[in-house]
Amino acid sequence: MGSPTGCYVPWALPSLTSRSTLTEPLRTLRPVGSALSTRWGARPVVMVGGILTSLGFIFSAFASSLLHLYLGLGILAGSGWALVFAPALGTLSRYFSRRRVLAVGLALTGNGASSLLLAPALQLLLDTFGWRGALLLLGAITLHLTPCGALLRPLALPGDPPVPPRGPLAALGLGLFTRRSFLVFALGTALVGAGYFVPYVHLAPHALDRGLGGYGAALVVSVAAVADAGARLVCGWLADQGWVPLPRLLAVFGTLTGLGLLAVGLVPVVGSEEGWGVSLLATAGAYGLSAGCYAPLIFGVLPGLVGIGGVVQATGLVMMLMSLGGLLGPPLSGFLRDETGDFTTSFLVCGSLVLSGSFIYMGLPGALPSCHPASSPATPPPERGELLPVPQVARLSPGGPHSTLDTAC
């Protein structure tokens, strides 16, 4: 590059393209993508987002200073991501009713797999083509978001508003906060988001602090990532069976995620760098399983809270809350590491935040068992999906083999 900047761009590239550095601040603008999608449809919004993301990487390939990288990766690419993810995932929720959570889990599994492969793939591109070539190739890859967006078919469903919302506040869906159930959900999600992303950033350094070597720390991260990806599919299938109400599953797996973070923070020091750190591997795997189960539920529960007509706007708002947590949680964890000398306090505090948010989820309808007899709910049309599954226990009546419905406390 001809300047000192060129000396550290190669090793900084994986961090610059990660979710918590340059692009994350603008990802908090995901409600804007949802608002535009509500007004003009998801197809053109996602296509424009793909073009902006690709241009951001291509512009950064010709950067001559860090300012250019901030403009390219931060402004252009970050704006593109803000336009892509929420409309695409919200539209996916509208396509499915009977298998909605499984569909969301499949989509998020792809996201997790790409995150797992990003670091080694970037290193290979850097070694082969240099950092400029790597950014150009990333620009070409992300341009594929445009044809993917073109495949999003507009779908008119019962429950959609008769006319697009007028005015910025209505388009952003801020009126959803006037609904008690969504307000409870949003508050819980904001607290969970503050601790949820800490392992993505500090699990490997924590493993090094616990005495594991470089390969042991990498293995810990891989175990957590694989468990996370697999759990998203299993939990998606489980949630779609309707055996347990989705808000209750959300609160349970959110609580298990918080307990997993506490366990990761309390793992003792490994005796030597040659050790595999079985206890840390086990706790990281348990965290990955619970966090993976939580991920599809947070989006699968939305149609039951806001209705199918507001699911795209609600998806953007939820992603904004999670992104704010991604901005606040890791810096807080790093600050606590600097103050205490290790990550124990960091994981304990972040686990406590996740537990607090999960306890707030218990205020959602259906999160706690009810002792009142429940009659069989009306089944909505397959495309609406606005009623959460209500599990019921079949009980034989004393007078014969005919079963009656009863809700267990």
Side-chain angles (χ1 to χ4, degrees), residues 97-292:
S97 177
R98 304 298 183 189
R99 297 292 180 266
R100 178 180 288 122
V101 185
L102 179 58
V104 173
L106 282 168
L108 295 179
T109 299
N111 183 37
S114 64
S115 299
L116 179 65
L117 298 174
L118 178 63
L122 276 178
Q123 192 59 54
L124 177 63
L125 292 178
L126 287 170
D127 295 339
T128 306
F129 303 103
W131 69 270
R132 294 184 186 274
L135 284 172
L136 286 173
L137 288 173
L138 288 175
I141 293 172
T142 53
L143 187 60
H144 286 75
L145 291 170
T146 299
C148 289
L151 297 176
L152 295 176
R153 182 172 64 90
L155 190 64
L157 300 178
D160 287 343
V163 294
R166 300 185 181 277
L169 296 182
L172 290 172
L174 298 183
L176 295 175
F177 287 107
T178 61
R179 305 185 184 185
R180 178 189 173 277
S181 58
F182 185 78
L183 184 60
V184 170
F185 176 79
L187 180 58
T189 300
L191 287 173
V192 171
Y196 184 85
F197 297 110
V198 169
Y200 288 84
V201 181
H202 290 151
L203 183 57
H206 176 60
L208 295 174
D209 281 355
R210 296 291 89 180
L212 273 71
Y215 288 104
L219 180 62
V220 169
V221 175
S222 299
V223 167
V226 172
D228 183 297
R232 297 183 183 199
L233 297 178
V234 175
C235 185
W237 174 85
L238 174 66
D240 284 328
Q241 303 309 304
W243 297 328
V244 183
L246 297 186
R248 193 176 305 170
L249 285 176
L250 183 70
V252 167
F253 285 115
T255 301
L256 292 176
T257 301
L259 293 175
L261 280 172
L262 297 181
V264 169
L266 294 173
V267 167
V269 177
V270 180
S272 64
E273 289 192 3
E274 287 75 21
W276 288 104
V278 176
S279 57
L280 185 55
L281 284 173
T283 53
Y287 166 79
L289 288 173
S290 55

